[in-house]
Amino acid sequence: MTGGGTRYEPLVAEDAQPLGKIRSLWISYKRRMMATIGAATVIVVFALGAAVVVTVSASGQEFDYSHEKDSTYWHNVAQSELEEALRDRQRGVAKNVILFLGDGMGPTTVTAGRIFAGQLKGRLGEETELSFDAFPYTGLSKTYNTDSQVTDSAASGTAYLTGVKTNQGMLGLTAKAVKGVCNSTKHTEVDSILRWSLRAGKSAGVVTTTRITHATPAASYSHTPDRGWESDSTVPESEKNCEDIASQLILKNKDINVILGGGRAAFYPVDYEDLHADAENETAYLRRSDGKNLIQEWQDDMKARKQSFKYVYDRSGLESVDAAQTDYLLGLFSQDHMMYEIGRNKEKEPSLAEMTAKAVQILKKNKNGFFLLVEGGRIDHAHHESMPGLALYDVVAFADAVEKATQLTSSTDTLIVVTADHSHTLALSGYASRGNNILGINKGKDGIFLMGEDQMPYTTLLYANGPGYMSPRENITDKDTTYPLYVSQSAVPLSMETHGGEDVAIYAQGPQSFLYSGVHEQNYIPMVMAYASCVGPYKDGAAKKCARHEKPQISPEINPVCDSGAIPMVSLTLMGLCLLMKNRVIHYLIH
């Protein structure tokens, strides 16, 4: 690889996918839009070389923004947010926990995704809320690991799933282990909240748009000194004493109820004919050399244990699964990563929201509750390619999955946490006018391009490093920068863009969600989930008490007065308030 510098999480050739389908789908999509809703709306949505004032949606609905000139409007917006913040902190026990992980979804990506989501609906965009923007509590997560200032997805996954920070490139091991050295792993294994939840009698699931053996999902169930050991054929001969990730998933995690994602190739032997394979995806390097068919072994084990199970490989198969009659579900929808959302074959691959819905429907049958990990993994891959358009479509799909989960659960007993493993070097810059296409070239209020010192225009979204570097800088005046495969310009030449090391956001709702307020180490994330759901270090009977053992709180301003006996009989209002507070305590103790 050229470009200089160290790339901690390479999007190597085997991680990439053919992009020809996205090109053809994009052309087809634009033609359909032009034919059905007219060029004016396409200009609104995509800003193809025209001044943008986004006030008309694809359906022709007009959005009036005149109220933004009124000070009362902004005071009311602030008052509404204040009232939300003043609501009582929700305590209690989380029967269910769902962790949504937007891979590479740093603060700039969230902001750009929010604007993009709004503009897809014909709005200006900046005022839009993503589903998790509405969560009542937010905090920040410090993502460095034990040996790197900027983390990769394996070390970060170990932190936010096991509560232990570790070295770059390792999964489910402490920093005492050495990357790539099998015999260094003895006594260094650490379990995740997924395993803690299963031991507590809960159900558990993993959902991702990447290979199911990729870093983020693998951090929930595997222990390996090298994240690249996804199949036995990728483990070096000298390190064969370590079990590959795919094998660990099937043979050592038989109790995981739902497994949905890509990566079929790592489960089949070299000579197996995958009748549902995409010929354009070359995954021979992942095929197993040990002759095992792990998918068949999974099905045989389920039959032997007389479990109700389904194995599916496409969207129609997933749709046909009866959640009420299925306790175990394995779905592998591609031999490699699943497609980017904008290029997804909707006949073959389900959306992240659809996979999330099916997982929740199956898992929620357990009276003890469940833990579910959901990853929007292709956001990260698009950023590595310096293609913000691809990334933002996946951000919107990720937000849709969060929304689906909130619809299928209740915040009274389900803690939902949304965060990222790390950021990227994406920057949102310039002084573009309100409503300017977030994927477009910076334009002022007069619709004129904003120029750099080199008298050439630049896009709102740029990368600090990556494949978009050119010297001298390319003139993009006539480029369609809204094209999903457009490679954004960068300041430093690298073959692949890198991760960013800034703090990433934590969004939370449900029992104990207020505990995420503030700035925290990334390994704090699973400890709160464990405390709220009474598993792992906080399981019943452990030395550390969980949320079930909390003492109910009465406002410090009210309590002394209520207990003093100094309330005159005529002060019925204050007496009623005290009774109300006492009743709230009784309600808390009962529930």
Side-chain angles (χ1 to χ4, degrees):
M1 293 289 186
T2 59
T6 301
R7 231 171 0 102
Y8 286 136
E9 187 172 17
L11 185 67
V12 292
E14 50 265 30
D15 264 352
Q17 285 186 317
L19 301 176
K21 289 184 178 179
I22 294 177
R23 293 188 182 94
S24 60
L25 282 168
W26 177 250
I27 293 170
S28 173
Y29 176 68
K30 286 171 65 176
R31 286 174 178 166
R32 272 199 322 274
M33 293 289 286
M34 292 289 286
T36 57
I37 60 178
T41 305
V42 176
I43 290 174
V44 166
V45 177
F46 300 114
L48 297 181
V52 178
V53 179
V54 186
T55 57
V56 182
S57 71
S59 63
Q61 178 183 1
E62 293 188 7
F63 297 103
D64 181 9
Y65 287 88
S66 61
H67 53 268
E68 292 190 353
K69 298 180 180 180
D70 185 353
S71 62
T72 303
Y73 165 75
W74 292 111
H75 285 174
N76 288 341
V77 169
Q79 176 64 24
S80 177
E81 292 187 19
L82 178 60
E83 289 172 359
E84 287 288 333
L86 287 172
R87 290 184 179 178
D88 289 343
R89 292 178 171 181
Q90 185 179 347
R91 295 181 180 271
V93 176
K95 177 182 177 182
N96 312 311
V97 174
I98 306 177
L99 174 59
F100 280 92
L101 193 287
D103 200 317
M105 195 181 72
T108 304
T109 301
V110 173
T111 302
R114 179 188 304 135
I115 296 170
F116 185 66
Q119 291 181 347
L120 285 177
K121 296 176 181 178
R123 303 188 69 95
L124 295 178
E126 294 84 357
E127 75 289 352
T128 304
E129 278 193 347
L130 295 172
S131 56
F132 48 88
D133 282 329
F135 284 11
Y137 295 102
T138 56
L140 291 173
S141 167
K142 297 189 285 183
T143 63
Y144 71 92
N145 61 46
T146 54
D147 65 353
S148 295
Q149 202 169 62
V150 180
T151 192
D152 81 318
S153 292
S156 59
T158 301
Y160 63 72
L161 286 166
T162 74
V164 177
K165 289 204 174 193
T166 192
N167 299 328
Q168 201 88 319
M170 301 198 313
L171 292 165
L173 303 173
T174 71
K176 291 180 180 179
V178 179
K179 186 177 183 298
V181 180
C182 184
N183 64 14
S184 71
T185 64
K186 191 175 182 180
H187 304 309
T188 67
E189 295 184 351
V190 284
D191 284 336
S192 74
I193 186 166
L194 179 143
R195 298 289 341 152
W196 300 340
S197 298
L198 286 167
R199 290 193 191 112
K202 296 177 182 288
S203 294
V206 185
V207 174
T208 182
T209 54
T210 68
R211 295 191 295 267
I212 196 67
T213 52
H214 214 237
T216 296
S220 70
Y221 61 80
S222 73
H223 309 277
T224 179
D226 193 322
R227 55 173 287 181
W229 296 353
E230 297 184 49
S231 163
D232 73 305
S233 59
T234 63
V235 180
E237 285 298 324
S238 61
E239 309 300 329
K240 290 293 186 180
N241 286 336
C242 273
E243 192 170 13
D244 64 273
I245 295 170
S247 183
Q248 288 186 50
L249 173 59
I250 299 301
L251 303 180
K252 293 187 175 179
N253 291 275
K254 298 178 181 181
D255 48 357
I256 298 179
N257 300 83
V258 177
I259 302 168
L260 299 174
R264 277 199 308 268
F267 297 82
Y268 285 143
V270 173
D271 57 355
Y272 182 84
E273 184 182 3
D274 186 347
L275 299 177
H276 314 290
D278 186 339
E280 294 186 33
N281 279 333
E282 176 50 56
T283 52
Y285 75 100
L286 277 173
R287 290 298 190 99
R288 304 193 64 80
S289 58
D290 59 8
K292 291 182 179 180
N293 183 329
L294 293 177
I295 294 175
Q296 189 60 53
E297 289 193 24
W298 181 86
Q299 295 179 85
D300 291 343
D301 176 71
M302 290 294 155
K303 290 176 183 177
R305 293 194 286 135
K306 295 181 170 55
Q307 300 293 340
S308 57
F309 71 94
K310 289 287 184 182
Y311 166 65
V312 296
Y313 52 81
D314 61 13
R315 187 185 184 192
S316 62
L318 182 69
E319 290 175 341
S320 69
V321 172
D322 183 351
Q325 301 299 320
T326 306
D327 294 328
Y328 291 87
L329 174 63
L330 174 62
L332 298 175
F333 304 103
S334 172
Q335 68 266 42
D336 198 355
H337 300 302
M338 295 176 69
M339 287 297 295
Y340 291 107
E341 177 61 24
I342 186 61
R344 179 168 62 89
N345 183 331
K346 295 181 181 180
E347 293 183 1
K348 290 186 176 181
E349 293 189 4
S351 68
L352 186 61
E354 290 167 341
M355 291 191 290
T356 299
K358 190 66 71 173
V360 171
Q361 290 163 359
I362 291 174
L363 299 175
K364 68 190 300 185
K365 296 184 301 180
N366 189 332
K367 62 182 177 60
N368 296 321
F370 66 84
F371 170 81
L372 175 62
L373 170 65
V374 180
E375 182 200 21
R378 303 307 311 270
I379 300 168
D380 172 74
H381 295 170
H383 279 319
H384 280 305
E385 299 278 9
S386 294
M387 295 178 180
L390 279 185
L392 298 190
Y393 276 105
D394 272 58
V395 170
V396 174
F398 177 80
D400 289 344
V402 176
E403 177 65 23
K404 178 58 68 174
T406 62
Q407 293 170 356
L408 293 173
T409 58
S410 170
S411 62
T412 60
D413 67 358
T414 302
L415 172 63
I416 300 181
V417 179
V418 178
T419 190
D421 46 358
H422 53 75
S423 187
H424 273 271
T425 70
L426 183 71
L428 195 160
S429 60
Y431 297 99
S433 61
R434 177 73 183 277
N436 192 67
N437 193 312
I438 191 63
L439 295 176
I441 296 172
N442 263 301
K443 297 175 185 175
K445 294 179 181 178
D446 55 5
I448 304 300
F449 287 160
L450 302 178
M451 300 292 187
E453 293 294 327
D454 56 5
Q455 296 306 302
M456 288 192 289
Y458 57 96
T459 53
T460 303
L461 298 178
L462 297 164
Y463 291 94
N465 59 50
Y469 173 86
M470 290 184 70
S471 182
R473 194 165 69 90
E474 181 183 18
N475 189 333
I476 60 172
T477 300
D478 298 321
K479 291 283 186 179
D480 178 7
T481 61
T482 69
Y483 178 44
L485 300 185
Y486 172 75
V487 176
S488 287
Q489 294 179 326
S490 60
V492 176
L494 286 178
S495 57
M496 290 289 171
E497 182 266 356
T498 70
H499 293 170
E502 65 268 27
D503 296 351
V504 297
I506 309 169
Y507 306 82
Q509 76 165 21
Q512 308 297 334
S513 54
F514 67 91
L515 294 174
Y516 285 109
S517 297
V519 181
H520 303 285
E521 296 287 354
Q522 193 167 43
N523 64 296
Y524 173 80
I525 292 173
M527 304 307 282
V528 172
M529 293 188 289
Y531 173 80
S533 59
C534 298
V535 302
Y538 301 95
K539 65 184 178 182
D540 289 336
K544 298 176 182 177
K545 300 302 181 184
C546 74
R548 201 187 318 277
H549 303 282
E550 283 181 339
K551 291 183 179 180
Q553 301 294 313
I554 296 180
S555 170
E557 291 80 12
I558 296 295
N559 201 35
V561 178
C562 291
D563 292 342
S564 68
I567 304 174
M569 289 301 293
V570 294
S571 186
L572 296 178
T573 300
L574 187 55
M575 182 178 292
L577 182 59
C578 287
L579 289 172
L580 176 63
M581 294 301 295
K582 298 294 186 183
N583 285 336
R584 286 179 59 202
V585 172
I586 293 171
H587 175 81
Y588 179 91
L589 291 172
I590 291 174
H591 290 79

